[in-house]
């Protein structure tokens, strides 16, 4: 990833060098997924589109765009639009602002009149959102409203129903309620972004009256960056964990030199308070399922003493992997990723030392090592980068740390066995494999967008697309949950098959790397075959499309008993499996659906 596109970035540099930055990003090759983004603007959007493209490319998403004509966002969304329909967007971003509100309350308006005004404005947007949902079945990102340039009544503008501040705040709350009750609908919080940037600068009227931009042109990278963070989260490009240094990162000072009693941590001095606040911020991330790890040049016992300091927010159990030694940090980082069965790029490196950050970023492709600045800047810089931007927060997300700790316990248990099959039997595994249902759809869609290594066809789906397949009789949909004596792994595998006459063509087969080599793939195949038999299907056809990340499943179908029937020069292969009348089940260690 280009560090110029990580926060804190130089907005003027990005605006000036956008063509060069784009060429450099595109030169990186095959790492992209292609997505079609429609921007429906209530003001000029051209530079927003160009800068948004850079941030998406940096996240591994190569966008193509549909852009509405100036201030035609309502018409494009609500009325017949052959061009937009042919474009078939994967996501629609509605870029509106308080400039698009033409009727505010007047001081003479009654309470009921103001309520009617508010409802009319809200219903206009509801019409837009529902038209998009009905026509395009894709996720929507909608700006909320920034505060006005001026307050007619001063501070009373916020509390008096006649005030613009009050009106916009109430309208924003209606938007939030809608988001809370509708899937695949997300708010871009320009109310916060503009405040963070500086409302007076953000709303500089020069740019609207001269160019019809609803914000300062120099603020466009900050807006585009936030929109890109939502998009990359929707399409499964979020990071999964932090790898943290210790000395001068989680506490002030060098514990090996200063001693545990002299590190800066706690409420006694200002420096210690800053590090305590940062520790609390980091620990809060675990509520989102962010996994925490340590990579420190330290003696292990010193590291342990610091982590368990009386004023520390942490205990050793808060970290999945702790590498405290004198090995190179990039080597430790790579080992942490391997132990977690994650790609290194899934983890963010947080270290106060610029030399260590540089070594890790240069030697581990795709790893983010943000320039975190002084200790008082740590929270702001990590937070604004949006590494863990939340669009869906599933029950499995909230349990992720627990799941990874359980995996560490499983590894310890494995060392007690010389027979791997006996080890699998000792886990007492129970599987639940069922067709998609309302409760599973969020996690199923999330898994389809996050899975890179065990993903045979590399297809990605929104929740709506998953739901449509679940309701279509021509599709077989299965999700698999796995638990054992160490804990519940949640939903770990998804299969989608499409019926084509007497064949089932596998559109998607993915599995979480947390459960590799646990025979869950055999349990899924057994259930798929049983489902096919019940539908009179006689053959299963599977497809493998290679990427830079899914080489581990190149020969998956062959190992599962399929025969290869085609393979092209690019490595794309096709496989088939005849379904016998009596299928000998391949799974014999997982108890599926209570049987």
């Amino acid at each position: 990833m280009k560090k110029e596109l990580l926060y804190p970035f130089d907005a003027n540099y990005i605006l000036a060098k956008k063509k060069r930055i784009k060429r450099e990003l595109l030169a990186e090759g095959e790492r992209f997924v292609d997505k079609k983004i429609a921007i429906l603007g209530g003001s000029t959007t051209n530079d927003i589109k160009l800068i948004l493209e850079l941030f998406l490319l940096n996240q591994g998403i190569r966008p193509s765009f549909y852009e509405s004509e100036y201030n035609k966002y309502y018409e494009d969304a609500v009325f017949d639009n052959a061009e937009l329909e042919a474009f078939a967007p994967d996501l629609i971003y509605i870029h509106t602002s308080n400039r698009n509100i033409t009727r505010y309350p007047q001081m003479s308006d009654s309470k009921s009149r103001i309520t009617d005004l508010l409802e009319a404005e809200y219903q206009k947007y509801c019409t837009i959102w529902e038209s998009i949902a009905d026509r395009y079945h894709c996720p929507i990102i909608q700006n909320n409203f920034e505060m006005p340039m001026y307050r007619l009544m001063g501070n009373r503008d916020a509390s008096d129903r006649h005030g613009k501040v009050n009106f916009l705040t109430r309208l924003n709350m209606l938007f939030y309620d809608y988001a809370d009750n509708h899937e695949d609908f997300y708010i871009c919080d320009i109310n916060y972004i503009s405040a963070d940037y500086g409302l007076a600068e953000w709303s500089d009227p020069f740019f609207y009256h001269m160019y019809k931009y609803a914000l300062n042109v120099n603020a466009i990278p900050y807006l585009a960056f936030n929109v890109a963070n939502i998009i990359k989260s929707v399409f499964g490009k979020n990071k999964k964990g932090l790898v943290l240094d210790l000395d001068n990162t989680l506490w002030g000072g060098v514990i090996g030199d200063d001693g545990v009693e002299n590190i800066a941590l706690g409420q006694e001095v200002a420096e210690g308070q800053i590090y305590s606040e940062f520790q609390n911020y980091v620990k809060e991330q675990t509520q989102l399922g962010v996994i925490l790890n340590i990579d420190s040049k330290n003696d292990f016992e010193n590291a342990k003493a610091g982590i368990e300091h009386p004023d520390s927010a942490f205990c050793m159990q808060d970290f999945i992997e702790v590498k405290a030694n004198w090995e190179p940090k990039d080597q430790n980082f790579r080992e942490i990723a391997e132990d977690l069965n994650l790609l290194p790029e899934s983890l963010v490196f947080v270290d106060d030392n610029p030399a260590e950050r540089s070594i890790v970023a240069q030697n581990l492709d795709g790893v983010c090592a943000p320039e975190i600045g002084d200790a008082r800047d740590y929270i702001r810089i990590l937070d604004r980068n949006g590494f863990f931007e939340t669009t869906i927060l599933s029950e499995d997300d909230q349990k992720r740390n627990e799941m990874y700790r359980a995996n560490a316990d499983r590894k310890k248990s494995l060392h007690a066995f010389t027979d791997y099959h006996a080890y699998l039997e000792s886990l007492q595994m129970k599987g639940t494999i069922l067709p998609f249902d309302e409760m599973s759809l969020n996690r199923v869609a999330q898994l389809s967008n996050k899975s890179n290594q065990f993903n045979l066809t590399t297809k990605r789906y929104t929740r709506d697309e998953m739901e449509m397949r679940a309701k279509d009789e021509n599709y077989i949909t299965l999700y698999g949950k796995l638990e054992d004596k160490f804990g519940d792994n949640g939903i770990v595998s998804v299969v989608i098959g499409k019926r084509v006459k007497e064949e089932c063509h596998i559109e998607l087969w993915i599995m979480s790397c947390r459960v590799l080599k646990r025979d869950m793939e055999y349990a899924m195949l057994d259930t798929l075959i049983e489902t096919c038999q019940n539908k009179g299907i006689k053959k299963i056809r599977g497809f493998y499309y290679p990427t830079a990340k899914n080489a581990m499943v190149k020969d998956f179908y062959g190992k599962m008993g399929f025969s290869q029937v085609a393979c092209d020069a690019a490595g794309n292969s096709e496989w088939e499996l005849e379904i016998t009348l009596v299928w000998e089940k391949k799974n014999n260690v997982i108890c599926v659906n209570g049987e």
Side-chain angles (χ1 to χ4, degrees):
M1 299 186 75
K2 291 186 74 64
K3 65 179 182 180
E4 298 98 318
L5 297 175
L6 293 177
Y7 185 93
F9 44 72
D10 183 335
N12 292 327
Y13 174 83
I14 293 172
L15 287 162
K17 303 295 184 180
K18 54 183 177 287
K19 290 183 179 179
R20 194 193 80 186
I21 294 171
K22 179 180 175 180
R23 286 196 301 271
E24 291 173 352
L25 288 165
L26 288 172
E28 295 182 13
E30 298 180 357
R31 68 185 186 93
F32 300 109
V33 295
D34 292 308
K35 294 295 177 183
K36 292 179 284 186
I37 312 296
I39 301 176
L40 310 186
S43 57
T44 303
T45 58
N46 184 61
D47 276 312
I48 294 171
K49 176 189 72 175
L50 296 175
I51 304 305
L52 176 60
E53 182 177 28
L54 301 184
F55 287 119
L56 289 175
L57 288 169
N58 202 44
Q59 296 289 350
I61 298 170
R62 180 167 47 204
S64 53
F65 289 102
Y66 170 94
E67 188 178 10
S68 69
E69 294 183 19
Y70 172 75
N71 203 21
K72 295 295 183 181
Y73 65 98
Y74 183 89
E75 293 85 343
D76 271 12
V78 175
F79 303 140
D80 289 341
N81 186 329
E83 184 181 354
L84 184 54
E85 289 177 8
F87 181 71
D90 294 308
L91 181 144
I92 293 178
Y93 168 47
I94 304 170
H95 173 65
T96 47
S97 71
N98 63 32
R99 290 281 186 182
N100 298 110
I101 296 177
T102 57
R103 179 68 168 89
Y104 284 100
Q106 303 296 301
M107 296 304 293
S108 58
D109 285 343
S110 66
K111 181 178 181 180
S112 61
R113 170 62 176 154
I114 294 171
T115 299
D116 290 344
L117 278 177
L118 185 68
E119 184 63 21
E121 196 68 42
Y122 173 60
Q123 286 303 324
K124 179 181 80 173
Y125 283 93
C126 284
T127 301
I128 291 171
W129 305 331
E130 288 163 11
S131 295
I132 289 172
D134 289 342
R135 290 172 183 267
Y136 304 109
H137 306 287
C138 68
I140 300 168
I141 298 175
Q142 168 69 58
N143 286 353
N144 61 3
F145 295 100
E146 76 280 34
M147 291 298 99
M149 289 171 54
Y150 64 89
R151 301 176 299 171
L152 187 63
M153 292 180 280
N155 289 287
R156 185 183 174 91
D157 223 63
S159 59
D160 192 304
R161 70 175 66 94
H162 299 89
K164 288 185 177 181
V165 172
N166 184 279
F167 187 80
L168 291 169
T169 299
R170 292 170 67 190
L171 187 54
N172 280 342
M173 289 304 300
L174 291 173
F175 278 32
Y176 305 154
D177 286 342
Y178 188 94
D180 193 43
N181 290 289
H182 291 81
E183 305 289 347
D184 279 344
F185 180 87
Y186 311 102
I187 295 293
C188 177
D189 189 5
I190 67 169
N191 186 28
Y192 183 93
I193 302 164
S194 61
D196 190 43
Y197 185 82
L199 184 60
E201 290 294 318
W202 178 279
S203 301
D204 186 338
F206 170 81
F207 295 95
Y208 185 73
H209 297 301
M210 180 62 72
Y211 307 114
K212 289 298 182 283
Y213 272 108
L215 71 163
N216 188 323
V217 168
N218 297 317
I220 285 175
Y222 295 90
L223 170 65
F225 185 64
N226 277 271
V227 177
N229 277 338
I230 299 171
I231 294 173
K232 60 95 172 167
S233 178
V234 168
F235 295 126
K237 293 290 186 176
N238 268 1
K239 304 301 181 185
K240 295 181 180 179
L242 294 168
V243 178
L244 298 136
D245 177 44
L246 293 176
D247 293 331
N248 292 313
T249 299
L250 288 187
W251 55 69
V254 178
I255 196 168
D257 295 336
D258 302 330
V260 67
E261 68 279 3
N262 293 317
I263 61 174
L265 189 64
Q267 301 306 308
E268 298 300 320
V269 296
E271 184 184 13
Q273 293 172 28
I274 290 172
Y275 284 102
S276 288
E277 191 171 51
F278 179 57
Q279 285 198 4
N280 288 325
Y281 169 78
V282 169
K283 190 161 185 176
E284 279 187 85
Q285 305 306 306
T286 62
Q287 298 176 51
L288 305 177
V290 177
I291 53 177
L292 307 181
N293 308 274
I294 297 296
D295 183 358
S296 173
K297 286 185 176 177
N298 247 310
D299 289 329
F300 183 84
E301 291 305 318
N302 282 337
K304 185 173 183 290
I307 291 168
E308 296 181 342
H309 185 282
D311 291 317
S312 174
F314 300 112
C315 63
M316 290 295 286
Q317 281 295 103
D318 290 317
F319 302 97
I320 309 302
E321 296 287 335
V322 177
K323 300 285 187 184
N325 54 42
W326 300 100
E327 300 299 328
K329 287 194 175 182
D330 59 319
Q331 177 181 317
N332 280 337
F333 194 109
R334 184 180 287 105
E335 290 176 0
I336 288 170
E338 289 174 355
D339 289 344
L340 295 171
N341 280 329
L342 293 174
L343 294 171
E345 66 193 53
S346 300
L347 303 169
V348 178
F349 184 53
V350 182
D351 194 312
D352 69 294
N353 188 324
E356 297 287 9
R357 294 197 301 265
S358 177
I359 289 169
V360 168
Q362 288 180 16
N363 292 335
L364 297 171
D365 188 39
V367 170
C368 284
E371 297 180 5
I372 56 176
D374 187 83
R376 65 179 181 271
D377 298 320
Y378 292 176
I379 293 176
R380 176 177 60 86
I381 290 173
L382 284 181
D383 184 71
R384 300 300 189 272
N385 266 296
F387 294 122
F388 311 108
E389 179 84 32
T390 302
T391 47
I392 296 175
L393 185 60
S394 67
E395 186 178 344
D396 283 358
D397 287 328
Q398 297 175 70
K399 293 180 178 178
R400 186 176 294 123
N401 274 272
E402 178 184 330
M403 293 173 180
Y404 276 95
R405 275 194 291 273
N407 259 0
D409 291 338
R410 291 183 189 100
K411 287 183 179 179
K412 292 177 184 176
S413 173
L414 173 60
H415 297 321
F417 288 85
T418 56
D419 182 280
Y420 190 72
H421 188 269
Y423 162 69
L424 291 179
E425 289 182 325
S426 78
L427 293 176
Q428 302 168 26
M429 291 183 286
K430 297 177 182 178
T432 301
I433 303 177
L434 296 169
F436 296 174
D437 53 37
E438 188 66 27
M439 296 298 292
S440 68
L441 281 172
N442 277 344
R443 172 58 179 163
V444 163
Q446 185 186 48
L447 193 61
S448 82
N449 282 292
K450 284 185 173 183
S451 298
N452 293 305
Q453 296 181 84
F454 197 116
N455 188 335
L456 289 147
T457 56
T458 73
K459 292 188 177 181
R460 315 286 180 179
Y461 298 87
T462 64
R463 186 187 187 281
D464 280 350
E465 289 171 330
M466 289 290 195
E467 187 172 11
M468 285 190 287
R469 282 162 174 76
K471 292 177 179 178
D472 190 331
E473 291 185 358
N474 289 317
Y475 281 90
I476 294 172
T477 64
L478 297 173
Y479 72 88
K481 298 178 67 176
L482 185 65
E483 61 179 301
D484 59 29
K485 67 180 182 181
F486 291 106
D488 187 353
N489 290 280
I491 296 176
V492 294
S493 190
V494 176
V495 173
I496 297 177
K498 183 177 182 180
R499 180 167 190 158
V500 180
K501 297 181 181 178
E502 293 187 339
E503 294 185 356
C504 173
H505 291 194
I506 297 176
E507 273 192 9
L508 181 74
W509 193 330
I510 55 177
M511 194 165 72
S512 168
C513 290
R514 289 200 309 273
V515 296
L516 288 178
K517 300 181 180 179
R518 302 270 297 282
D519 282 12
M520 188 62 182
E521 61 271 34
Y522 294 129
M524 294 296 291
L525 178 61
D526 289 343
T527 305
L528 174 62
I529 286 174
E530 182 180 354
T531 306
C532 287
Q533 287 174 327
N534 292 337
K535 293 178 175 290
I537 293 172
K538 298 179 180 179
K539 183 182 292 184
I540 299 176
R541 194 171 294 275
F543 307 89
Y544 168 72
Y545 305 132
T547 70
K549 298 175 182 177
N550 71 352
M552 66 179 296
V553 290
K554 177 182 178 181
D555 300 317
F556 171 76
Y557 283 119
K559 294 175 182 177
M560 301 295 284
F562 286 64
S563 300
Q564 184 173 313
V565 294
C567 184
D568 65 19
N572 300 295
S573 57
E574 185 175 330
W575 305 72
E576 64 179 35
L577 178 69
E578 299 282 351
I579 300 177
T580 57
L581 290 176
V582 179
W583 173 256
E584 185 177 344
K585 291 187 175 181
K586 292 182 175 292
N587 159 54
N588 56 19
V589 293
I590 301 173
C591 175
V592 176
N593 297 340
E595 295 179 358

